[in-house]
Amino acid sequence: MRVTIFGSGYVGLVTGACLADAGNHVVCVDVDAGKIERLNRGEIPIHEPGLEALIRRNSEAGRIEFTTDAVHGVEHGLFQLIAVGTPPDEDGSADLRYVLGAARTIGSHMNRYCVVVTKSTVPVGTADKVRREIEQTLKARGAPGEFDVVSNPEFLKEGAAIQDFMKPDRVVVGTDNPRTTELMRALYEPFTRNHDRLIVMDIRSSELTKYAANAMLATKISFMNELANLSERLGADIEKVRVGIGSDPRIGYSFIYPGTGYGGSCFPKDVQALIRSAREVEHEPQILAAVEAVNARQKEVLVAKIRQHFGEQLKGRTFALWGLAFKPNTDDMREAPARTIIDRLLEAGARVRAYDPVAAAEAKRIYDGNESFELARNAYEAVEGADALAIVTEWQEFRSPDFERLRQLLKTPLIFDGRNLYDPAMVGRFGLTYHAIGRGRPVEGR
């Protein structure tokens, strides 16, 4: 099939590469000429395991191409996928200027039937706005045009996006036309052959499904962080509580790990947008507001523990940080807890020496010119001579470190673990003082 994708960011690139790998001819359109030039040179602007090889293979086979030529894109595709960004506006609502801009572009150049698909995460009612935008543009041209608008939200996890697309849990399709249902079924058939995972619903329900899914996952994270803070005050161990409740199949183990809060490009933005949508229809979303408030507070917890240990005199101290990305297997630092922690330490006059396996370039861009922030080449270089180590992202390589070496390298044998990676008693046996999240009093090194 012929597919055009507007937007060559995270969703657009993964979607395009996976659809091309199934044999479709995909054209990715972006207004950023520099990005298109890099993509045509084989340079991938994001870190996602397996994506570079997938794009290279399909580029060489002629199944995917990258261009700034919107006219070519509109002429090419039976499916016109809108996968542009929807950044939060100042009031927390989703900014639809790029989505509606893509709709106008489609309306300006379409000359035959096409299916316009919103892949971007958008508020309920956006498909109606996309439809009106295209209709008005066609009317201004004096051009006839037949098209359908479909909502097809993405459910891709950063770090596992290709697997999620190739073997989806579900494919949600919002449509008001049986014809588009069958076209969308045909597009996704290579990925759902062993079991039909297409879930068809009305457009508004499809748009809300995406926000509801992310809000539910964010709620689980904030709820566990709330329990972790309570557990710490009651002298309980949240890790034992987690195992106890996760064994209940009604709850399960996913997204019940306490830590330093959620981040990334989806959960913070989508919770805020859903709150805004609720208030626009005069409904106060009390749970969602609490989820957001708990998360904002949780990002401050590790620094609060550091202050409790050292007092307010952090000026001149050096803190090692393991992990910068908001989660493993990505270089995405948008809304990452590490940014809050770094900012608070720098504001207090401390120095930060950080290490992340893949997010160093992004961190350098963010903190460029700040002499109190430096990047280490490896985990052990980061801790050398530091007053303490703070663990913020649960990268695999941090799970079994050389504790004896850590004790020798650290100026003070002290770990603040924001991801509860280790057994406290074991760390203490190596002579390290260990502060965790929700695990009672810190374990003193022996």
Side-chain angles (χ1 to χ4, degrees), residues 327-404:
K327 62 181 283 188
N329 298 317
T330 180
D331 62 350
D332 194 343
M333 288 183 63
R334 286 173 289 184
E335 302 285 341
R339 293 183 64 169
T340 299
I341 294 166
I342 292 168
D343 291 347
R344 297 296 177 269
L345 292 173
L346 295 179
E347 288 165 5
R351 295 183 59 83
V352 175
R353 190 185 306 127
Y355 168 71
D356 188 286
V358 303
E362 179 65 5
K364 185 177 181 180
R365 182 189 68 79
I366 294 169
Y367 292 102
D368 186 39
N370 193 318
E371 296 181 357
S372 296
F373 177 83
E374 61 179 304
L375 290 162
R377 291 169 295 182
N378 59 62
Y380 294 103
E381 182 180 87
V383 302
E384 189 170 358
D387 288 276
L389 165 64
I391 301 171
V392 188
T393 312
E394 65 276 28
W395 283 96
Q396 189 68 22
E397 69 176 86
F398 301 155
R399 292 183 180 273
S400 185
D402 184 337
F403 289 109
E404 181 63 33

Side-chain angles (χ1 to χ4, degrees), residues 419-440:
R419 296 297 174 181
N420 290 357
L421 296 185
Y422 314 126
D423 174 61
M426 181 195 70
V427 177
R429 285 196 293 272
F430 282 94
L432 291 152
T433 297
Y434 183 69
H435 296 253
I437 303 291
R439 307 197 73 177

Side-chain angles (χ1 to χ4, degrees), residues 81 85 92 127 269 323:
L81 276 60
K269 173 174 70 70

Side-chain angles (χ1 to χ4, degrees), residues 2 74-78 80 109-114 144-147:
R2 303 183 316 279
V74 176
E75 290 175 347
H76 168 81
L78 166 63
Q80 302 279 328
H109 304 294
M110 63 178 287
N111 293 304
R112 52 182 167 76
Y113 174 76
C114 65
E146 185 186 5
F147 66 97

Side-chain angles (χ1 to χ4, degrees), residues 177-334:
N177 187 330
R179 170 175 59 178
T180 54
T181 300
E182 295 311 308
L183 286 170
M184 294 297 288
R185 192 182 302 279
L187 180 65
Y188 279 103
E189 196 269 342
F191 310 103
T192 60
R193 296 190 70 177
N194 64 336
H195 179 65
D196 185 5
R197 300 184 185 277
L198 208 74
I199 301 173
V200 181
M201 59 185 72
D202 63 277
I203 292 174
R204 284 179 170 250
S205 295
S206 172
E207 291 172 330
L208 183 56
T209 295
K210 169 62 177 181
Y211 276 128
N214 280 352
M216 176 63 79
L217 297 175
T219 299
K220 292 183 75 173
I221 294 170
S222 280
F223 180 74
M224 282 306 292
N225 283 330
E226 188 80 278
L227 280 183
N229 296 333
L230 178 61
S231 176
E232 197 162 289
R233 285 158 178 77
L234 294 175
D237 186 340
I238 192 62
E239 289 301 316
K240 292 182 172 63
V241 175
R242 177 181 63 79
V243 174
I245 66 174
S247 59
D248 185 331
R250 295 171 301 174
I251 298 172
Y253 290 104
S254 297
F255 289 86
I256 61 168
Y257 289 83
T260 54
Y262 60 76
S265 62
C266 294
F267 288 5
K269 173 174 70 70
D270 293 353
V271 169
Q272 289 173 11
L274 192 53
I275 290 171
R276 178 67 181 178
S277 293
R279 289 173 177 164
E280 285 177 351
V281 293
E282 299 181 354
H283 174 75
E284 183 55 36
Q286 295 176 340
I287 291 177
L288 292 177
V291 166
E292 187 178 39
V294 168
N295 192 62
R297 183 181 67 194
Q298 199 66 20
K299 290 182 178 182
E300 308 278 353
V301 163
L302 219 56
V303 174
K305 289 178 178 291
I306 291 171
R307 289 185 185 278
Q308 189 174 18
H309 181 89
F310 289 103
E312 292 298 318
Q313 299 305 314
L314 301 184
K315 187 174 183 179
R317 295 188 183 277
T318 298
F319 293 93
L321 218 70
W322 280 5
L324 293 165
F326 84 96
K327 62 181 283 188
N329 298 317
T330 180
D331 62 350
D332 194 343
M333 288 183 63
R334 286 173 289 184

